[in-house]
Amino acid sequence: MRIGFIGLGNMGAGMAANQAKAGREVLAFDLSSAAIAKAISAGCQGAASAREAVATADVVITMLPAGPQVRSLYAQTLIPHAKAGALLIDCSTIDVDSARAVAAEARAAGYRAADAPVSGGTAAADAGTLAFMVGGDPADFTDVQTALAPMARVVIEAGTSGAGQAAKICNNMLLGISMIGTCEAFALAEKLGLAADRFFEIASKSSGQCWSVTSYCPVEGVGPQTPADRGYQGGFATAMMLKDLKLAQEAAAQVGAATPLGASAEALYALLAAQGFASTDFSAMLPWLKGEATKLLN
Ligand code: NAD
């Protein structure tokens, strides 16, 4: 299988490398020549242009920053220049409308298209253990699964075009809300004189249990290793969480869904980002709520 891979950033670099490791011929392109050089050292072939990367590929995978980049790459390069009948899979996190628009344009031009955003950060991208949520034509799902397999722990069918993106933003809205709730609960527990490791054990086995408590505890030295144990560096950046919460609010406004906690989460993450924590892990919400975040900047 010949793969055209466009967007070799924090996520795409590891994903393209895993395709090459699985023995696939990968034609890799990015606007950054350093990113292409890195892909070549990981076993991919460097393409001189996006057009070259897609012209002979059976499957084109894109991993770009946001909706505008995806729309323009589809309009200018994929739809006019991809191989006839190619399967186009966008793994970027983008707005549902853009995902539906590019899939419709691709189908009208005779391509097969799917949105397949991912859950899991750069460590999962490097390890080939991402979770993919797929929106597209059900008839294409098996081929999408086969194409994504070297990068995946699991590939889940979400529904028709845009459903993958809908699943991604709903999941991340829930994650943002649950992380803030978790941080509030740990901050209150501390003020009440309850030790964090005791509250961790109790909440993990009680009805407050959630992924933010059990698997990504925001308290240093409590629970499994998380960004809290390394000064809230690495992990899932506050700016990324804010991007996903904004997408969720835009989608909610368009369809008239009431998401008051999602709106509050967006406002709180916007404040955290504006105060200098855009690149710190999103669990830095805890020191911030406690008024202790500025020491992370020193
Ligand atoms: P990134 O900014 O590191 O990488 C994006 C890459 O796309 C860059 O290398 C950039 O040069 C390239 N690019 C932009 N426009 C291009 C174009 N027209 N042609 C070719 N290359 C182009 O971003 P990332 O962290 O890799 O994230 C990619 C996507 O995955 C985003 O939509 C993000 O929301 C999503 N995501 C990221 C994470 C994470 O932890 N980083 C987790 C889940 C999902």
Side-chain angles (χ1 to χ4, degrees), residues 6-12 29-31 63-65 69 73 92-93 118 120-122 168 236 240 243:
I6 303 182
L8 308 163
N10 292 323
M11 296 293 288
F29 181 73
D30 194 286
L31 295 177
M63 194 55 172
L64 299 168
Q69 290 86 2
L73 191 76
S92 329
T93 302
V118 305
T122 52
K168 169 76 184 172
F236 185 46
M240 290 283 192
K243 173 194 162 186

Side-chain angles (χ1 to χ4, degrees), residues 88-235:
L88 312 181
I89 307 177
D90 180 42
C91 296
S92 329
T93 302
I94 67 171
D95 58 289
V96 175
D97 277 354
S98 292
R100 289 190 176 141
V102 298
E105 287 160 19
R107 271 197 209 101
Y111 297 107
R112 298 180 298 148
D115 50 291
V118 305
S119 178
T122 52
D126 292 345
T129 57
L130 292 165
F132 288 85
M133 36 209 110
V134 180
D137 186 338
D140 295 333
F141 182 67
T142 305
D143 287 348
V144 172
Q145 220 174 4
T146 304
L148 300 178
M151 313 184 290
R153 171 172 56 82
V154 64
V155 180
I156 304 170
E157 197 168 11
T160 54
S161 284
Q165 297 296 349
K168 169 76 184 172
I169 60 175
C170 292
N171 179 75
N172 279 23
M173 183 179 80
L174 181 55
L175 173 62
I177 292 167
S178 75
M179 177 55 80
I180 295 166
T182 298
C183 293
E184 287 187 3
F186 273 101
L188 175 61
E190 183 179 315
K191 292 258 187 212
L192 295 173
L194 176 59
D197 66 335
R198 297 296 78 218
F199 180 57
F200 170 79
E201 189 172 341
I202 292 162
S204 295
K205 296 186 173 98
S206 304
S207 48
Q209 190 276 332
C210 63
W211 186 86
S212 298
V213 170
T214 314
S215 301
Y216 210 88
C217 184
V219 184
E220 183 184 357
V222 175
Q225 282 281 315
T226 67
D229 298 305
R230 42 178 198 272
Y232 299 92
Q233 297 310 303

